[in-house]
């Protein structure tokens, strides 16, 4: 069955370190997204991609970057982790023209 | 900037009760609206998608309506069950058919008591 997987599920890192969160989907969807979920803020869009080599900034993109070298993967990199980036991160994908979203199970990141 | 508000923030009901969750958005120029369910520590599961030309969608005991002109959507849950306990999230797509980004509300935490 097609799926979208995120890794790791949990990560603890130190302030200032570079961290990469993985997202891999086997739906063959064109569109991929990264959201963060925080108490009091709900889900907010970090970056998104509508295809290979396409990346765009979302609402809260400062301190984050993504790259899309193939259809299946959209890794999220925190260039220099900060305590404000402690959050739960969700990756999602959707197919152009259908609008239905599929979400991964999330990565809980703690920056100490 | 689009803002999505969900009322109430939390709701506790006895099993068997019918209930309504509310969602409002500030920019009526949305394309589609989607309702999700999130269980504790889990990802989001899509419940209902209302496309731009539709006014409502139904799936089993769930019915969602959309009134773009007033900037409102409701999710009706009939005959609630303890297994319905979860956080329900409303999300809107931006205007234009090629805009696939979602703006989320903060959710309604539903507890159905046996």
């Amino acid at each position: 069955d097609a799926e979208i997987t995120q890794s790791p599920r949990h990560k603890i890192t130190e302030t200032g370190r570079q961290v990469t969160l993985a997202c891999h989907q086997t739906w063959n969807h064109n569109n991929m997204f990264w959201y963060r979920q925080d108490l009091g803020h709900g889900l907010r869009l970090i970056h998104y991609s509508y295809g290979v080599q396409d990346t765009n900034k979302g609402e809260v993109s400062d301190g984050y970057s993504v790259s899309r070298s193939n259809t299946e993967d959209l890794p999220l990199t925190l260039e220099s982790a900060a305590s404000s980036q402690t959050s739960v991160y969700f990756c999602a994908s959707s197919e152009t023209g259908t609008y239905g979203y599929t979400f991964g199970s999330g990565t809980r990141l703690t920056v100490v | 900037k689009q803002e999505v508000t969900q009322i109430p923030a939390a709701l506790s009901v006895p099993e068997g009760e019918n209930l309504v969750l509310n969602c409002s958005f500030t920019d009526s120029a949305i394309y589609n609206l989607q309702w999700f369910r999130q269980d504790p520590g889990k990802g989001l599961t899509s419940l209902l998608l209302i496309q731009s030309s539709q006014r409502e969608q139904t799936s089993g005991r769930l019915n969602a309506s959309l009134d773009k002109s007033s900037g409102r959507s409701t999710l009706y849950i009939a005959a609630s069950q303890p297994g319905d306990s979860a956080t329900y999230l409303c999300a809107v797509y931006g205007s234009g058919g090629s805009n696939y980004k979602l703006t989320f509300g903060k959710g309604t935490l539903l507890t159905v008591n046996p």
Side-chain angles (χ1 to χ4, degrees):
Chain A
D1 286 348
E3 59 183 0
I4 179 166
T5 55
Q6 294 184 234
S7 61
R9 288 300 310 275
H10 302 273
K11 178 146 183 89
I12 301 174
T13 191
E14 295 179 344
T15 301
R17 290 194 179 268
Q18 184 180 79
V19 176
T20 297
L21 309 183
C23 175
H24 179 81
Q25 54 99 0
T26 58
W27 289 96
N28 200 34
H29 285 165
N30 291 329
N31 310 324
M32 296 186 72
F33 309 84
W34 276 102
Y35 291 86
R36 61 178 287 177
Q37 186 174 36
D38 305 286
L39 281 173
H41 289 281
L43 281 123
R44 292 177 292 174
L45 182 63
I46 305 172
H47 281 286
Y48 62 101
S49 168
Y50 286 164
V52 176
Q53 303 300 333
D54 176 73
T55 60
N56 306 279
K57 294 181 178 180
E59 179 187 0
V60 289
S61 61
D62 287 349
Y64 303 94
S65 63
V66 294
S67 62
R68 186 91 180 271
S69 59
N70 57 51
T71 300
E72 296 80 17
D73 298 290
L74 187 70
L76 177 71
T77 297
L78 286 68
E79 305 293 344
S80 176
S83 58
S84 60
Q85 294 176 309
T86 292
S87 185
V88 180
Y89 291 86
F90 287 100
C91 178
S93 69
S94 73
E95 183 51 56
T96 301
T98 62
Y99 299 100
Y101 259 60
T102 302
F103 276 83
S105 299
T107 293
R108 182 175 295 276
L109 176 68
T110 302
V111 182
V112 298
Chain B
K1 177 187 171 186
Q2 178 74 269
E3 292 185 4
V4 180
T5 303
Q6 292 187 245
I7 295 174
L11 181 64
S12 180
V13 300
E15 182 177 2
E17 190 162 299
N18 301 326
L19 59 99
V20 174
L21 307 182
N22 296 292
C23 172
S24 62
F25 42 93
T26 54
D27 184 354
S28 61
I30 67 167
Y31 201 66
N32 302 323
L33 183 144
Q34 195 159 4
W35 283 92
F36 294 88
R37 168 185 173 138
Q38 185 176 27
D39 293 291
K42 305 289 186 181
L44 281 68
T45 301
S46 177
L47 295 174
L48 291 166
L49 169 68
I50 308 178
Q51 302 216 23
S52 59
S53 59
Q54 300 171 325
R55 290 187 62 86
E56 68 176 315
Q57 275 284 352
T58 298
S59 176
R61 294 182 293 107
L62 305 179
N63 175 273
S65 66
L66 173 62
D67 184 346
K68 285 188 184 180
S69 61
S70 67
R72 295 179 186 278
S73 176
T74 61
L75 179 65
Y76 174 83
I77 302 177
S80 58
Q81 303 171 357
D84 294 330
S85 298
T87 297
Y88 290 81
L89 294 158
C90 168
V92 300
Y93 289 82
S95 60
S98 61
N99 188 339
Y100 298 94
K101 299 176 291 181
L102 285 172
T103 301
F104 284 86
K106 295 179 182 177
T108 294
L109 176 61
L110 174 65
T111 303
V112 181
N113 301 300

